[in-house]
Amino acid sequence: RPVPDFFGLTLEQTATLAKKSRVKYQIIDSVYTNIVPRGCIAEQNPKPGFKVKKWRNISLTINAFRPEMVVIPDLTHLPIKQAVALIESSGLVLGIKTYKPDLSINEVLIQLHNGKEIAPNDSLQKGSVIDLVLGKGLSNQKTAVPNLIGMKLEPATDRINGSSLNLGTYIFDNTILTSVDTLNAFVYKQIPEFKDDATIQYGSSMYLWLTVDSL
């Protein structure tokens, strides 16, 4: 029988689905993530759809109820690529990038959380979003529109960030039914569209549509 998809379920929902599907489960670990609500299932092994015998034990990882706190790094005066790497290694999430005229280009001028400037060495909940204000030189700098067609969401997001742009909205089509589909989905449409000579102003947003349908 196929393993059910426990992703995002509460413990009560997990127990009901496990009984209905005739499998057992065990909470083996906890993580801190903003992908699912606190107290909900964040990971499982075997993955959904994997065929197992009746009453097989499924290992589950739950999103912890108490948030983990992390130290805010000092991002000011760092180039964007180095700042993004430091944000991610600190357990934080890159938010919106905005640009303003400055002698520097793609260098962090201000770091923000919820619209307020934040100081290095203070603490935030792990997974908190850090917004950046960056220099764009003393003229209206532009960058090439990246080609994201065929890319999965995570590498597409990395490409967008590396191009000094923002990920606006991404939309999954009706082929996305499970958490596995979400991981395997790829970009089939983007706005602005990619063209060899197309450019866009720093800090602009890219909009993506994703599917698992390769036809």
Side-chain angles (χ1 to χ4, degrees), residues 88-153:
E88 293 175 349
S89 66
S90 298
L92 300 167
V93 177
L94 175 66
I96 298 298
K97 301 183 295 294
T98 56
Y99 288 78
K100 72 175 189 178
D102 189 79
L103 287 173
S104 65
I105 298 178
N106 267 333
E107 185 176 289
V108 178
L109 304 177
I110 305 172
Q111 54 193 56
L112 305 165
H113 174 65
N114 288 338
K116 296 181 180 179
E117 190 169 350
I118 49 175
N121 300 320
D122 282 350
S123 295
L124 281 177
Q125 180 179 322
K126 187 174 183 179
S128 295
V129 175
I130 304 297
D131 299 323
L132 301 177
V133 178
L134 302 133
K136 68 171 184 178
L138 299 179
S139 62
N140 288 325
Q141 297 288 326
K142 292 189 175 184
T143 185
V145 175
N147 184 8
L148 308 173
I149 302 300
M151 298 181 69
K152 293 183 178 180
L153 182 58

Side-chain angles (χ1 to χ4, degrees), residues 75 77-87 94 97 99 105-108 132 134 161-165:
L75 306 172
H77 307 302
L78 292 181
I80 180 62
K81 289 186 178 180
Q82 188 176 342
V84 170
L86 191 52
I87 287 171
L94 175 66
K97 301 183 295 294
Y99 288 78
I105 298 178
N106 267 333
E107 185 176 289
V108 178
L132 301 177
L134 302 133
N161 289 334
S163 299
S164 303
L165 301 170

Side-chain angles (χ1 to χ4, degrees), residues 124-215:
L124 281 177
Q125 180 179 322
K126 187 174 183 179
S128 295
V129 175
I130 304 297
D131 299 323
L132 301 177
V133 178
L134 302 133
K136 68 171 184 178
L138 299 179
S139 62
N140 288 325
Q141 297 288 326
K142 292 189 175 184
T143 185
V145 175
N147 184 8
L148 308 173
I149 302 300
M151 298 181 69
K152 293 183 178 180
L153 182 58
E154 185 173 346
T157 302
D158 290 341
R159 178 76 62 82
I160 289 170
N161 289 334
S163 299
S164 303
L165 301 170
N166 289 302
L167 174 59
T169 301
Y170 57 91
I171 299 171
F172 294 115
D173 72 0
N174 57 13
T175 65
I176 312 300
L177 302 176
T178 67
S179 57
V180 174
D181 291 338
T182 300
L183 294 174
N184 291 328
F186 58 88
V187 178
Y188 71 90
K189 178 182 176 182
Q190 68 176 68
I191 294 179
E193 296 181 359
F194 169 76
K195 295 180 181 178
D196 288 336
D197 57 350
T199 59
I200 187 173
Q201 192 165 355
Y202 280 168
S204 297
S205 294
M206 297 286 300
Y207 300 88
L208 307 179
W209 285 257
L210 299 100
T211 184
V212 290
D213 186 358
S214 58
L215 298 180

